[in-house]
Amino acid sequence: MESLAKQKIIEDLLPQKFGKAGKIWVVILLAFCTLGFVAYCMQLSKGLVVTAMRDYVSWGIYISNFVFFVAISLVGSLITAVLRLSQAKWSTPLTRIAEIIAVSAITFASIIIVVDMGRPDRFYNLFIHARLQSPIVWDVIVITTYFFVSILLLYFPLLPDMAILMKFKDKTGMAWLNKMYAFLGSFWKNTKAQIHISEKAVNILSITIIPVAFAIHTVTSWLFATTYRPGWDSTNFGAYFISGAFLVGAGAVVVAMYVFRKAYHLEKYIQNEHFDKMGKVLVMLALLYLYFNVNEFLVPAFKMKKSEEEHLMGLFTGEFAPVFWFAISTAMIIPILILITKRGRKPLPAFIAGLLVVIGSWFKRYLIVTPTLLHPFLPMHDVPEAYKHYFPTWQEWAIALGSLAGALLIVTLFARIFPIIPIQETITEIEEHEMSITKI
Amino acid sequence: MLVSESRALGTKINKRHMKKHSKIFLSAILLQLLVNAVFAQAEKNSLSLSVGYFNSNNQTQYLIARAKSKIDGKFQMIPGISVSFYISTETPENLLGKAVTNDKGEALIFMPPKAKDEWMKSAKVGFLVSSASTKLFDEAKGSFDLTKAKILIDTAADKKITATVMELKDSVWTPVKAVDVKIAIKRLDADLNVADAPTYATDSLGIASADFKRDSLPGDAKGNLTLIAKVEDNDLYGNLSAEKVVPWGKSFKYYSEFDKRTLFARRGKSPMWLELLAYSIVVAVWGVLIYLVGQIKKLKKLGVN
């Protein structure tokens, strides 16, 4: 590969300073984070009474948000591990986007759990009084594990790029950034031995992350399924959650692909072909999730047990029907209809479909968590009327939106500091491609 | 014209008649309602009171009064009725005690020691119960004439159970023929028949026999079972019962899961298989992660060299 072309790739993919739009975007995200922080301070000082959560609904939008974050984090394993192990070379430009989404999502999944606990100073109780029999403890273990696996999977492929960043330190323009690059990857000399160790490590991580990723969302589903309640009492929950997680994660990647492509002019690297392939992946995942949804709702609806009737009818035609049908349509049906055609898999329609998947999936998580809590098998006597309904307070909305903004801020800042598309891997792949053409 | 006039006249007359009749009709309804209201206030349900005699294991004697009333065509047990119990005659000196009926309409008293003299007077003794008139019920009375009797239980070889019923005749205990006796095993909430037949009739010697055919029945820790012979709701003798403990059961040891290693136990008491499984997975995965962190160190070394 000619050094001129190599130079061009490096220049294209080096992290760039924020433009005007980038700065506005960061300010908006910071504003949401600040609002969330203020609301959290209020919750800290007054207690969980500032939320709408009461004796019936004790898991509101915080836990919906937690499930959403855990779901979206699964994308790291999908793009990085599954596609890498299946030798799908086309996914290379998407791996880092997927991994940073995974890391930011899992970080905020952990934070939102602490928010939901009410008193963060009691967090240590979770460890000193942990019962190994409890799925909550399994969740703590598996989230911590997944976080470290994701960090390592982000770090190893970043090492060769770190050497490039140090080489072009005058372009980054900030001394502290260069110091950080040096701290993280000054030892990378791109030797054969180093490349071999790094590739081996990435392969091991790709294999490790798949069962861990399955475990993280299966365990999250068991938080619900091991509880005997209408809507949660299901053996289908593990597979139902995992299929939904892959769908929302893939949707988030498509959205991020489009935004980064537009913001950093990466059309040469994130091509229409990537949208086409990710579009197909999305259709497959949406169909799979739709299948699990049919199972999840049709079977109990067919039996319509008295205890489940109120919950199911609440979703189909009752209080939650607008949200339910909105979530089913936006997370699955409309994206399938958009992406099923080749024209629909062009960047803009694919972006819209991805966005719909993400929005619909958030509401889907809300529907999994909250309506069930409003219909216990053994209702309490003489509870205040307000306990029988749930609508989040502004503090809850602010904290939930703040956490979503925080996750987006991590992704945004990461893209400012590190190359969002692996530089060295892209160069190597192009070189390998050119060599194979020369051989022919 | 004439026809129409006569019709109009007819309608007028009809209306006048209707007005007159409707006044009478309304007055009748009002009167009926008034009468109903007055009578409804005065009307009381009749109460049926009965009394039963019980002798448990020839030791504890007690009486149970039952209060019931026919309401809406059905007999219902009446709670909250104060019942006075008497022996022989309904006089203050023969008052055994008072009790109030429970939710099942039953009031129970144990025979007090003061009843001994009256009890010893004769081989036959009468019990009376009465309740005073209340807002809802009339006063009621009931009685039971008891012929003193007793029941004995014994066992023989080959797990044969015999129950003997005797009545007091002229100060002598005499066997009674043709009395139905229930021979059973006492369980927690009910009695379990020792064989297929639930009851056995006494012969001329007053003996009813049954074979014990309940092998491997769980008993207490030593395998003991309690046999019971009962005469139930007999018109002459009331309710009699006698018990005997026999080692014919299977030894049963209660095994408590409390504080054992189970899925529902407290912290630190999780099942061994779960601990092994969970810790092996954690060690395996974190072993891999630690190995990979070691690889970063190796990369650093290679870079420095």
Side-chain angles (χ1 to χ4, degrees), chain A residues 209-224:
Chain A
I209 203 168
I210 295 172
V212 176
F214 269 70
I216 188 175
H217 219 45
T218 306
V219 168
T220 306
S221 81
W222 287 349
L223 293 177
F224 303 95

PDB file of all heavy atoms in Angstrom, chain A residues 209-224:
ATOM      1  N   ILE A 209     -16.551 -13.197  25.582  1.00  0.00           N
ATOM      2  CA  ILE A 209     -17.635 -12.215  25.734  1.00  0.00           C
ATOM      3  C   ILE A 209     -19.007 -12.791  25.355  1.00  0.00           C
ATOM      4  O   ILE A 209     -20.031 -12.340  25.895  1.00  0.00           O
ATOM      5  CB  ILE A 209     -17.341 -10.917  24.941  1.00  0.00           C
ATOM      6  CG1 ILE A 209     -18.144  -9.753  25.546  1.00  0.00           C
ATOM      7  CG2 ILE A 209     -17.620 -11.070  23.468  1.00  0.00           C
ATOM      8  CD1 ILE A 209     -17.735  -8.397  25.038  1.00  0.00           C
ATOM      9  N   ILE A 210     -19.037 -13.796  24.484  1.00  0.00           N
ATOM     10  CA  ILE A 210     -20.356 -14.318  24.055  1.00  0.00           C
ATOM     11  C   ILE A 210     -21.115 -14.958  25.227  1.00  0.00           C
ATOM     12  O   ILE A 210     -22.235 -14.543  25.525  1.00  0.00           O
ATOM     13  CB  ILE A 210     -20.222 -15.262  22.840  1.00  0.00           C
ATOM     14  CG1 ILE A 210     -19.715 -14.444  21.642  1.00  0.00           C
ATOM     15  CG2 ILE A 210     -21.557 -15.926  22.501  1.00  0.00           C
ATOM     16  CD1 ILE A 210     -19.351 -15.259  20.444  1.00  0.00           C
ATOM     17  N   PRO A 211     -20.512 -15.944  25.937  1.00  0.00           N
ATOM     18  CA  PRO A 211     -21.283 -16.473  27.095  1.00  0.00           C
ATOM     19  C   PRO A 211     -21.534 -15.427  28.178  1.00  0.00           C
ATOM     20  O   PRO A 211     -22.589 -15.456  28.818  1.00  0.00           O
ATOM     21  CB  PRO A 211     -20.402 -17.614  27.628  1.00  0.00           C
ATOM     22  CG  PRO A 211     -19.065 -17.426  27.021  1.00  0.00           C
ATOM     23  CD  PRO A 211     -19.259 -16.685  25.745  1.00  0.00           C
ATOM     24  N   VAL A 212     -20.556 -14.516  28.358  1.00  0.00           N
ATOM     25  CA  VAL A 212     -20.766 -13.484  29.396  1.00  0.00           C
ATOM     26  C   VAL A 212     -21.933 -12.583  28.991  1.00  0.00           C
ATOM     27  O   VAL A 212     -22.780 -12.235  29.817  1.00  0.00           O
ATOM     28  CB  VAL A 212     -19.470 -12.665  29.640  1.00  0.00           C
ATOM     29  CG1 VAL A 212     -19.725 -11.539  30.635  1.00  0.00           C
ATOM     30  CG2 VAL A 212     -18.358 -13.555  30.152  1.00  0.00           C
ATOM     31  N   ALA A 213     -21.972 -12.224  27.704  1.00  0.00           N
ATOM     32  CA  ALA A 213     -23.064 -11.363  27.221  1.00  0.00           C
ATOM     33  C   ALA A 213     -24.414 -12.078  27.340  1.00  0.00           C
ATOM     34  O   ALA A 213     -25.410 -11.480  27.745  1.00  0.00           O
ATOM     35  CB  ALA A 213     -22.810 -10.971  25.774  1.00  0.00           C
ATOM     36  N   PHE A 214     -24.427 -13.363  26.993  1.00  0.00           N
ATOM     37  CA  PHE A 214     -25.668 -14.120  27.141  1.00  0.00           C
ATOM     38  C   PHE A 214     -26.063 -14.175  28.617  1.00  0.00           C
ATOM     39  O   PHE A 214     -27.235 -14.045  28.954  1.00  0.00           O
ATOM     40  CB  PHE A 214     -25.510 -15.542  26.578  1.00  0.00           C
ATOM     41  CG  PHE A 214     -25.888 -15.634  25.127  1.00  0.00           C
ATOM     42  CD1 PHE A 214     -25.093 -15.044  24.146  1.00  0.00           C
ATOM     43  CD2 PHE A 214     -27.042 -16.285  24.737  1.00  0.00           C
ATOM     44  CE1 PHE A 214     -25.447 -15.113  22.803  1.00  0.00           C
ATOM     45  CE2 PHE A 214     -27.401 -16.353  23.389  1.00  0.00           C
ATOM     46  CZ  PHE A 214     -26.607 -15.767  22.426  1.00  0.00           C
ATOM     47  N   ALA A 215     -25.033 -14.367  29.464  1.00  0.00           N
ATOM     48  CA  ALA A 215     -25.306 -14.462  30.903  1.00  0.00           C
ATOM     49  C   ALA A 215     -25.873 -13.153  31.438  1.00  0.00           C
ATOM     50  O   ALA A 215     -26.834 -13.148  32.206  1.00  0.00           O
ATOM     51  CB  ALA A 215     -24.035 -14.827  31.658  1.00  0.00           C
ATOM     52  N   ILE A 216     -25.288 -12.037  31.000  1.00  0.00           N
ATOM     53  CA  ILE A 216     -25.704 -10.744  31.556  1.00  0.00           C
ATOM     54  C   ILE A 216     -27.187 -10.490  31.297  1.00  0.00           C
ATOM     55  O   ILE A 216     -27.921 -10.057  32.186  1.00  0.00           O
ATOM     56  CB  ILE A 216     -24.821  -9.581  31.033  1.00  0.00           C
ATOM     57  CG1 ILE A 216     -25.150  -8.279  31.763  1.00  0.00           C
ATOM     58  CG2 ILE A 216     -24.913  -9.361  29.575  1.00  0.00           C
ATOM     59  CD1 ILE A 216     -24.239  -7.133  31.383  1.00  0.00           C
ATOM     60  N   HIS A 217     -27.635 -10.805  30.099  1.00  0.00           N
ATOM     61  CA  HIS A 217     -29.035 -10.488  29.837  1.00  0.00           C
ATOM     62  C   HIS A 217     -29.974 -11.590  30.288  1.00  0.00           C
ATOM     63  O   HIS A 217     -31.132 -11.329  30.607  1.00  0.00           O
ATOM     64  CB  HIS A 217     -29.246 -10.126  28.374  1.00  0.00           C
ATOM     65  CG  HIS A 217     -30.214  -8.998  28.243  1.00  0.00           C
ATOM     66  ND1 HIS A 217     -30.157  -7.875  29.029  1.00  0.00           N
ATOM     67  CD2 HIS A 217     -31.295  -8.821  27.452  1.00  0.00           C
ATOM     68  CE1 HIS A 217     -31.143  -7.075  28.721  1.00  0.00           C
ATOM     69  NE2 HIS A 217     -31.855  -7.618  27.779  1.00  0.00           N
ATOM     70  N   THR A 218     -29.464 -12.820  30.317  1.00  0.00           N
ATOM     71  CA  THR A 218     -30.301 -13.901  30.847  1.00  0.00           C
ATOM     72  C   THR A 218     -30.536 -13.659  32.336  1.00  0.00           C
ATOM     73  O   THR A 218     -31.661 -13.791  32.825  1.00  0.00           O
ATOM     74  CB  THR A 218     -29.613 -15.263  30.618  1.00  0.00           C
ATOM     75  OG1 THR A 218     -29.303 -15.368  29.240  1.00  0.00           O
ATOM     76  CG2 THR A 218     -30.494 -16.415  31.020  1.00  0.00           C
ATOM     77  N   VAL A 219     -29.467 -13.302  33.030  1.00  0.00           N
ATOM     78  CA  VAL A 219     -29.607 -13.042  34.468  1.00  0.00           C
ATOM     79  C   VAL A 219     -30.549 -11.853  34.701  1.00  0.00           C
ATOM     80  O   VAL A 219     -31.397 -11.889  35.591  1.00  0.00           O
ATOM     81  CB  VAL A 219     -28.218 -12.814  35.116  1.00  0.00           C
ATOM     82  CG1 VAL A 219     -28.361 -12.256  36.518  1.00  0.00           C
ATOM     83  CG2 VAL A 219     -27.435 -14.111  35.155  1.00  0.00           C
ATOM     84  N   THR A 220     -30.420 -10.821  33.876  1.00  0.00           N
ATOM     85  CA  THR A 220     -31.335  -9.673  34.002  1.00  0.00           C
ATOM     86  C   THR A 220     -32.782 -10.141  33.801  1.00  0.00           C
ATOM     87  O   THR A 220     -33.682  -9.708  34.523  1.00  0.00           O
ATOM     88  CB  THR A 220     -30.976  -8.579  32.984  1.00  0.00           C
ATOM     89  OG1 THR A 220     -29.607  -8.246  33.153  1.00  0.00           O
ATOM     90  CG2 THR A 220     -31.811  -7.332  33.173  1.00  0.00           C
ATOM     91  N   SER A 221     -32.987 -11.032  32.852  1.00  0.00           N
ATOM     92  CA  SER A 221     -34.358 -11.534  32.619  1.00  0.00           C
ATOM     93  C   SER A 221     -34.823 -12.358  33.812  1.00  0.00           C
ATOM     94  O   SER A 221     -36.001 -12.365  34.158  1.00  0.00           O
ATOM     95  CB  SER A 221     -34.418 -12.369  31.343  1.00  0.00           C
ATOM     96  OG  SER A 221     -33.963 -13.682  31.575  1.00  0.00           O
ATOM     97  N   TRP A 222     -33.875 -13.057  34.462  1.00  0.00           N
ATOM     98  CA  TRP A 222     -34.245 -13.881  35.621  1.00  0.00           C
ATOM     99  C   TRP A 222     -34.624 -13.030  36.828  1.00  0.00           C
ATOM    100  O   TRP A 222     -35.311 -13.517  37.722  1.00  0.00           O
ATOM    101  CB  TRP A 222     -33.102 -14.827  35.991  1.00  0.00           C
ATOM    102  CG  TRP A 222     -32.946 -15.962  35.022  1.00  0.00           C
ATOM    103  CD1 TRP A 222     -33.818 -16.314  34.029  1.00  0.00           C
ATOM    104  CD2 TRP A 222     -31.867 -16.890  34.942  1.00  0.00           C
ATOM    105  NE1 TRP A 222     -33.343 -17.399  33.334  1.00  0.00           N
ATOM    106  CE2 TRP A 222     -32.146 -17.777  33.878  1.00  0.00           C
ATOM    107  CE3 TRP A 222     -30.694 -17.067  35.659  1.00  0.00           C
ATOM    108  CZ2 TRP A 222     -31.290 -18.808  33.523  1.00  0.00           C
ATOM    109  CZ3 TRP A 222     -29.846 -18.104  35.311  1.00  0.00           C
ATOM    110  CH2 TRP A 222     -30.134 -18.968  34.252  1.00  0.00           C
ATOM    111  N   LEU A 223     -34.155 -11.786  36.869  1.00  0.00           N
ATOM    112  CA  LEU A 223     -34.593 -10.896  37.955  1.00  0.00           C
ATOM    113  C   LEU A 223     -36.111 -10.842  37.955  1.00  0.00           C
ATOM    114  O   LEU A 223     -36.758 -10.706  38.978  1.00  0.00           O
ATOM    115  CB  LEU A 223     -34.054  -9.476  37.761  1.00  0.00           C
ATOM    116  CG  LEU A 223     -32.556  -9.248  37.875  1.00  0.00           C
ATOM    117  CD1 LEU A 223     -32.233  -7.796  37.589  1.00  0.00           C
ATOM    118  CD2 LEU A 223     -32.041  -9.628  39.246  1.00  0.00           C
ATOM    119  N   PHE A 224     -36.671 -10.935  36.769  1.00  0.00           N
ATOM    120  CA  PHE A 224     -38.132 -10.881  36.619  1.00  0.00           C
ATOM    121  C   PHE A 224     -38.727 -12.292  36.637  1.00  0.00           C
ATOM    122  O   PHE A 224     -39.680 -12.550  37.345  1.00  0.00           O
ATOM    123  CB  PHE A 224     -38.502 -10.194  35.300  1.00  0.00           C
ATOM    124  CG  PHE A 224     -37.927  -8.813  35.175  1.00  0.00           C
ATOM    125  CD1 PHE A 224     -36.727  -8.592  34.528  1.00  0.00           C
ATOM    126  CD2 PHE A 224     -38.572  -7.721  35.735  1.00  0.00           C
ATOM    127  CE1 PHE A 224     -36.183  -7.324  34.437  1.00  0.00           C
ATOM    128  CE2 PHE A 224     -38.042  -6.455  35.653  1.00  0.00           C
ATOM    129  CZ  PHE A 224     -36.846  -6.250  35.000  1.00  0.00           C
TER     130      PHE A 224
END
